[in-house]
Amino acid sequence: MLKTLLAQVKEYKTPSFLTPVCMIGEVICEMLIPRLMAVIVDDGIYGGDMQVILRTGGWMIVVAVAGLLCGVGGGFFGAKAAAGFAKNLRKAMFDNIQTFSFANIDHFSTSGLVTRLTTDVTNVQNAYQMILRMAMRAPSSMIVAMVMSFMISPRLASIYLVAVIFLALVAVFLIRRVTVYFKQVFERYDDLNESVQENVRGIRVVKAYVREDYEISRFSKAAENIYHMFVKAEMNMTLVGPVMSVTVYSCILLISWFGAHLIVSDELLVGDMMSLLTYCMSILMSLMMVSMVFVMITMSQASGRRIAEVLEEKTLLTNPKLPVTKVEDGSIRFEHVDFSYREDSGELVLSDIHLEIKSGESIGIIGATGSAKSSLVNLISRLYDVTAGRVCVGGVDVRLYDLEVLRNAVSVVLQNNVLFSGTILDNLRWGDADATEEECAHAARLACADEFITQMPDGYHTHIEQGGTNVSGGQKQRLCIARALLKKPKILILDDSTSAVDTATDARIRKAFAEEIPDTTKLIIAQRIASVKDLDRIIVMENGRVDGFGTHEELMDNNAIYREVFESQTAGGGDFDEGD
Amino acid sequence: MAQAGRGRPRPKIDQPGKLLKRLLIYVFRHYGIQMGIVFLCIGLSIFANTQGTLFTRTLIDRYIDPLKNAQQPDFVPLAHAIFRVAAIYLIGIVAQFAQARIMVYVTQGTMKRMRGELFEHMQRLPVRYFDTHAHGDIMSIYTNDIDTMRQMVSQSIPQLVNSVVTIVTIISMMLVLSVRLTLVSLGMVVVMVAVSALVSRYSASGFVAQQKNLGALNGYIEETMTGQKVVKVFCHEKQAIGEFDRLNEELYRSAFKASAFGNMIGPISMQLGNISYVVCALVGGLLAINQSAGFTVGALASFLTFNRNFNMPINQVTMQFNMIFMALAGAQRIFALLDEKAEEDEGYVMLVHAKEENGELTESETRTGRWAWKHYHKDSDTTTYVPLEGDVTFHGVDFGYTDEKIVLHDIVLHAKPGQKIALVGSTGAGKTTITNLINRFYTIQDGKIRYDNINVNKIRQQDLRRSLGMVLQDTHLFTGTVMENIRYGKLDATDEEVIAAARLANADGFIRRLPQGYDTMLKGDGANLSQGQRQLLAIARAAIADPPVLILDEATSSIDTRTEKIVQEGMDHLMKGRTTFVIAHRLSTVRNSDQILVMEQGRIIERGTHEELIALGKKYYQLYTGGTAKSA
């Protein structure tokens, strides 16, 4: 994981290297300063020598300025390295996601990918900066201060050694204990927030059933629980300050006592003792820093792992070496196709599909939820690869085509339609970047979208909000159909794409298809029997198998499922759908 | 990290002083004694700390120097002195420990109270509030704002007090040692504050840009990831990457700027502190060597230590100020929610168990299966009991979500007990709005709504709603078992009653097939169930409540024909014998209704039975046949 992540440092290696260098420079300056202070006190003040104070003071300013430069440099390079690293991580993930196949995308889920690209990157970015700036600085500052102390007086400095070991042990103990507690607390805390969210979303249900008091009492019980857990966890943390103080104060007193003896016996100078006291804080503070860095690293570890997962994911679909770059016609052939979403599990979603569809035919597909209608059509544009058998388009196995060529020839309107923020024209031009406004309008007319687009205040230049929230479900579906039409595909697949369009408009769209694009092979998945019954042939899917394939009349004669669905829908079970 | 609050832009706050006062009162009202002890503890630990610093001077001047010059050094006085200081230190440590522990209770107690009050008040808010406030914003009050509040109470306030007291103590100590040197030192402080304020400004502007760019990039990421499959289908990967790169680069630049300047503030103030030290040493050295005004070498040494300890609290104060400003922004949102006006209810007519005595309806203590409205008439000081039947009338009702924009005009309707009323029409015609008025989710502008011939405004909201069942199109389930979710409709229902309701709703079949049957846990709004299954549970939930009036919103699409049939049957069972308002999408429902109301733009344009409306041949006919009107 570390290797995968660090590979993305790339052009920010120099700042990543310079940051700790600057930080060490700053540490050295910081450590020199107490030495210089000691000289000022001992030789200058006690020796009564203004010259020394001036000269040493001058040096001290030089060191301070050097420290300033190092500190500012460390801040500058650290920021550059961390921000750059985050940029590269995001880019690498995003680029890799663009190569993902549908199977890869399913594996991660949309919200999973969004979190990885946003929150997780921020966590890693913060940790990276912290590590660059502190992970070197804190231990080196501790070591330098320790060495300096030992140079002054090994006997007195050994007090620090004991203190450091003591504090380190306490820190390890506390961190271990507290992380366990806090992990529990935060899980519960998430649950509590989850329940608030449920109440916000379901407020109408709460109010309709007059369950306000019930919800309040449930919430306060949960809040009370959280309170006790939080108190318990934080009580452990309250030890940190006093333990630190005990250590610092003990050191000061011990140094004072033994230092006094050494000074009296002329083994130590007053200034030296004062330097020692200054180092005391440096050493113990750095130790606390080290433990903080440690906590930070543990916390960002999970994020790092999640990012690495995306980076290490390999696309499951690859372009062939010598791809076919032309799709001859819109004929489709399934040859004994088996399909499973997961390679390892033997559970087949589609089994032994054998179909022959001629170029230009209109085919309806009908079947219950979970009968694998979508899975079937997704194989045609090679959104997934078959597990066994083969799918041919224009007489050629889809795996031999260049992916872009194939997908431009096979246009799919997915079940979960998405429009992007931008104007209607921008959205339509996803189908064909060079389409003129007239061409776009033509496609929109075929999809019966023109009628409402022209009603909009800005017509084709109307801005679509993110997620298409400012158009109705039916309008969204028609825009998506128009977008797919602009590709001028050889095969057009509509995956339940008119479910929110009223019956009359639905019929007009199908009519337009029949008249305007007769040579395009059309596959239409629908819930409504009315949407498919006039098509050339209809496939009836049931549990991943083709249960029937024929014209409406044939199926009414020989297919029980088809007949049942037909009867339930015409005998008062049909839609009374709202037009929009 | 210590730099958390530094260099961030301050959010805009109206009347920060007033808000801070309110917040402090809110927090400390319940913890007056505790906070008193905490402040005392802070004082004690600062006292201990400064005594320790002063000890350096005593140590050198009073003990080490004389001992050095003594023939026979006697360390006993020194030992005594060290024990005295140790005792002071001990007091400081105990105070520090006590302070930390008390603060845990204060902080967590306040958080608990705040959360509880927020939640309780939220439950009492009208539905309108939830329409006009994004759910994400409400959630962020519970998470982000409460969290900044926690930081403020547990860290910022004690630290600010600590820093201010420390600064005051140190300044007075320094003044005692030397007025002139103190002035020099304070001069340097002014420079320090000025420089870090300047750098903060750069950092803040970078931070604003960073937040903006981060928002833009996150928005783009969310949009692209949501539509990733569409991107693939349209081979749009290159364009997606192009736009991403641009946004990513912008974010990098601003993030770099914000954090680089933010990082610089620390070293700058530290080194300025060191320079201040040198200046004081020079000036102090001159003073000490000349022995002016009894300024001793030991005093200089102590002064220099104070000077060193001075920088930290000053940095702290500037930092905590930013933190407090951020917390105030959160407090503003929290109080805004708490100040939001709760749902009004002046109703006094109550729903009671009823029994018949001597041919008259009276109140019963126990459940009788019959219900009545208990109506107290103030003018005649009498109480009447009206049987609950489910008769609903609208008289000339006008309604708008705001007074400026009326969305329902002159609605007149009469639903007799047990009748089925179908509402049809296009999206936005006002069908859902009508149903939301019956249960008083909203208050009407004009006209009257009567329930069993009582004005609904006179009926206590909770009693009114208890007599109405609702099955909404988007079903909301709660974390808990299937059993608990159905029982939501009637909290004291037995397991048998729950199962009976599930049977009635046609939900029993699928529930039994779930891994743990009725004990299956539902999470995340029933994410592990299909749309149809969730709807079946919602029907069962309404069934167990057994209300005389029902409001149903039929699902439009997204469930397949077979599931739809099951759901439909469940709904049909539920509707039997109840007054039902149904927002209908399905032919069979509409055809079997007693009255069909066709709505357009907030008005009822046609009404009647299926046959009557077909015969009329206008909008209904058009909707029904999917064609054009007969006589257009």
Side-chain angles (χ1 to χ4, degrees), chain A residues 30 45-46 90 98 100 106 118 129 198-199 207 211 213 215 245 369 420-421 487 504 572 576 578, chain B residues 60 96 123-125 218 223 229 232-233 248 263 270 277 297 300 343 427 479 488 560 585 588 626:
Chain A
E30 222 170 82
I45 298 170
Y46 283 95
R90 274 192 295 264
Q98 294 310 317
F100 277 11
D106 295 339
T118 53
Q129 177 156 197
E198 275 180 6
N199 271 276
K207 289 202 170 282
R211 292 287 173 261
D213 290 322
E215 290 294 339
S245 298
T369 310
F420 295 85
S421 47
K487 271 192 183 178
F576 191 95
E578 34 180 321
Chain B
I60 295 167
Q96 189 186 15
Q123 292 289 344
R124 309 251 178 258
L125 291 177
N218 286 357
E223 179 165 29
K229 289 193 172 180
K232 299 298 295 183
V233 166
N248 197 18
N263 287 346
M270 192 162 76
Y277 185 97
V297 170
L300 177 58
E343 208 168 4
T427 319
T479 303
Y488 203 83
D560 64 273
H585 304 293
S588 59

Side-chain angles (χ1 to χ4, degrees), chain B residues 189-256:
Chain B
V189 168
V190 173
V191 175
M192 256 165 68
V193 172
V195 173
S196 50
L198 188 77
V199 181
S200 293
R201 262 229 307 277
Y202 281 105
S203 167
S205 81
F207 192 77
V208 172
Q210 179 192 322
Q211 289 309 94
K212 202 180 112 243
N213 293 335
L214 189 68
L217 182 69
N218 286 357
Y220 184 76
I221 286 173
E222 209 172 309
E223 179 165 29
T224 315
M225 289 301 116
T226 313
Q228 187 58 38
K229 289 193 172 180
V230 178
V231 171
K232 299 298 295 183
V233 166
F234 283 90
C235 305
H236 234 248
E237 295 92 338
K238 275 192 213 80
Q239 290 90 325
I241 290 176
E243 177 67 5
F244 177 84
D245 283 349
R246 193 179 64 75
L247 293 168
N248 197 18
E249 185 67 29
E250 268 173 25
L251 173 62
Y252 159 73
R253 280 176 207 283
S254 52
F256 165 54

